[in-house]
Amino acid sequence: VETLRVCDFGRVSARRSQTLWHALAHGVSAGAAPTLSFMRPARPYVGLGYHRPAAEVDLAWCREAGLPVYRRKAGGGVVYLDDAQLFFQITVPAASVPAARGAALRQLLAPAVAAWRAAGIDAELDPAGEVVVGEAPGGTGVSPGVKICGHAAAQIGEAVVVVGNLIERFDHAAAARVLALPPDARAEVGRLMRRFVAATPADAATFQSAAVTAYGEALDLEPVPGTMSGEERLHLAHLDTRFATARWLAGPVAGRPLPAARTVKIRAGVFVVTAETAAARLVAGVVSDRVERAVLAAPEWNGAARGLAAGLEGLSLSEARGRLASAGAAGAGLANALAGLRMTAA
Amino acid sequence: MEPTTELAQVAGFSVDLARAYDRETHLWVLDLGGGRLRLGLDALGVETAGTLAALAFVEPGTDLAPGEPFGSLEAAKFVGPFLAPVAGRLVAVNEAVLGDPSLVERDPYGAGWLVEFDTAGPGVPGGALVAGADAVAAWFTATVDDYRLKGLVAE
């Protein structure tokens, strides 16, 4: 039986909580054993998905609040991270996972779900690939279907890494505040986050121990405590420098303007949509493809915006777009902006 | 003038049999003449990626060896590299797919192309690429059969 290297880094700096697992992926890509790693950041910070514009983060506010911002090579959006979250990463050779990304993600998240269950949480992977609380939440205080883990994945060289977190406490207000959004949009993000994202009372040590067992069994590998190799440490030093640069923060989308309409994903199927044109602005909370709450503002509507917004509630986003298209030039502009939206899993 | 596309149905997927394909990355390569190649993602690559959320490419003018990343793709919060199937200089990117990645899903062999390379010589380099209608159809069929056996694509 081959080995599963298990690296427990404990409490590390915010930057290291990102660079460590990127360095491990570099090592696994070069032939190191598959690796399960754990860490928690010593201080709060903001993480940014690889393809997301840094302009999605309220950088000025983060700077004033002392929150560093680090881009990761994995996907997803803007996330607030702190020491009440235990990060875990599973890193394996790319050739060992299914070619279909959805299947690879499910395969590499399933042992983590088993670990939550071992820690007393009725976790499950929902059809959208989110780790959620199932139908028997017991005394967790968490409603069925609520997301309890943020995850993302990347292929780095010849390694695939899936990252996730055990959330012990979740600061919904901070998670909404770090986003570069108008106050009403931020409030809607906060409202939906409180409803659809939650911490669990899972004991971190129990979860961690169970994850080691579950990943070892799932991958048919013998878990063995390990450390970074000299090569990985060298690469880590390089990444520590790189991740602090303005160029890395700008990322591969540097220079691309923010689109007129964009979404903040709360969990699969739950979004806040913002659209802004010179003449009008829309904020809409979308749950299961239905507009649950909408706010519209446009001088052209001269007081009729509230009624128009109320009329959008209950509609699908495409129906709402159609309704707006017939609401004068301001509405048509918003409808046009919304046409470019994609409700993806990002 | 835009190159023509003639799609055949192979194992339930649309495939342009006149193009060359990289087995590992599911990128197609089309000879535009004069040492210029156009690259895109084939239908099976699109299917296994899932709903595309974002794409990015390196700067035009970048010289690439086979296997080097020329960009990245994100689907289902999973970021992966686009690896160059041939050597060349990336000289053009399709701005339309950067703004609307769904173009790649809707029209992978046409408007959803990704980038263009200039290569040292004319024609599509051989090596790892699959070319020729019969060879492409056989490779594509075998790959789809394998993926179906593993449950990675629908029957």
Side-chain angles (χ1 to χ4, degrees), chain A:
Chain A
V1 177
E2 296 183 20
T3 59
L4 173 67
R5 175 174 55 160
V6 179
C7 297
D8 182 357
F9 294 102
R11 195 172 291 263
V12 299
S13 71
R15 192 188 314 166
R16 278 276 167 94
S17 72
Q18 293 293 327
T19 56
L20 276 166
W21 60 263
H22 286 78
L24 290 174
H26 177 79
V28 172
S29 175
T35 301
L36 178 63
S37 45
F38 300 93
M39 66 203 63
R40 67 173 73 222
R43 57 178 291 196
Y45 72 102
V46 176
L48 181 61
Y50 188 60
H51 288 110
R52 305 308 283 259
E56 289 189 8
V57 181
D58 189 338
L59 294 169
W61 187 86
C62 288
R63 196 162 39 243
E64 281 181 24
L67 296 180
V69 181
Y70 296 115
R71 183 179 295 279
R72 59 184 178 273
K73 205 148 189 189
V78 177
V79 289
Y80 173 82
L81 303 160
D82 65 17
D83 67 351
Q85 301 171 37
L86 172 69
F87 298 176
F88 63 89
Q89 304 91 26
I90 180 69
T91 311
V92 300
S96 69
V97 301
R101 285 157 186 254
L105 267 172
R106 296 189 80 82
Q107 180 175 303
L108 291 175
L109 280 172
V113 170
W116 260 289
R117 296 180 78 88
I121 307 298
D122 179 38
E124 63 183 35
L125 267 177
D126 75 4
E130 300 275 21
V131 181
V132 301
V133 165
E135 294 300 319
T140 61
V142 181
S143 301
V146 167
K147 172 178 168 174
I148 57 171
C149 169
H151 74 267
Q155 181 176 340
I156 297 175
E158 295 300 320
V160 162
V161 55
V162 173
V163 305
N165 58 354
L166 170 80
I167 307 170
E168 296 168 323
R169 291 184 306 282
F170 191 62
D171 190 337
H172 297 87
R177 184 61 193 84
V178 300
L179 301 169
L181 289 172
D184 50 0
R186 197 178 286 135
E188 183 64 4
V189 169
R191 182 182 78 85
L192 292 176
M193 272 188 184
R194 286 183 184 86
R195 194 161 127 208
F196 290 104
V197 183
T200 68
D203 175 68
T206 305
F207 170 86
Q208 185 168 327
S209 170
V212 171
T213 303
Y215 276 103
E217 289 176 356
L219 301 174
D220 196 20
L221 299 170
E222 179 69 35
V224 175
T227 57
M228 300 185 90
S229 68
E231 171 64 24
E232 287 168 337
R233 286 179 197 283
L234 280 175
H235 196 66
L236 176 65
H238 161 73
L239 291 172
D240 281 345
T241 302
R242 188 179 187 194
F243 273 49
T245 62
R247 183 175 178 155
W248 179 256
L249 179 61
V253 293
R256 279 193 221 170
L258 284 177
R262 54 196 177 102
T263 59
V264 175
K265 182 193 165 199
I266 310 301
R267 54 145 295 154
V270 181
F271 301 84
V272 173
V273 176
T274 60
E276 190 154 15
T277 67
R281 196 162 64 79
L282 164 73
V283 175
V286 179
V287 178
S288 302
D289 196 39
R290 294 281 149 186
V291 176
E292 187 173 272
R293 183 178 290 186
V295 176
L296 281 166
E300 175 186 314
W301 290 324
N302 194 26
R306 184 169 294 192
L308 184 56
L312 301 182
E313 291 171 6
L315 302 181
S316 71
L317 202 57
S318 59
E319 290 167 342
R321 196 164 62 227
R323 184 76 62 92
L324 286 166
S326 60
L334 286 176
N336 191 43
L338 290 172
L341 265 189
R342 267 206 113 185
M343 308 305 278
T344 69

Side-chain angles (χ1 to χ4, degrees), chain B residues 15-112:
Chain B
V15 184
D16 186 337
L17 298 175
R19 300 184 188 188
Y21 292 81
D22 183 63
R23 291 180 177 86
E24 299 300 319
T25 60
H26 283 282
L27 290 167
W28 53 256
V29 180
L30 175 65
D31 183 8
L32 298 177
R36 191 152 174 138
L37 304 177
R38 179 172 284 185
L39 277 63
L41 195 59
D42 74 26
L44 194 53
V46 169
E47 174 74 15
T48 53
T51 304
L52 302 185
L55 303 168
F57 302 117
V58 299
E59 289 292 317
T62 304
D63 289 319
L64 295 149
E68 285 189 335
F70 68 83
S72 53
L73 170 157
E74 180 172 342
K77 297 203 281 189
F78 195 144
V79 171
F82 284 122
L83 302 177
V86 296
R89 173 172 293 177
L90 188 144
V91 291
V93 304
N94 184 357
E95 296 287 341
V97 298
L98 293 178
D100 180 7
S102 73
L103 259 183
V104 179
E105 295 164 36
R106 299 199 308 271
D107 191 8
Y109 301 98

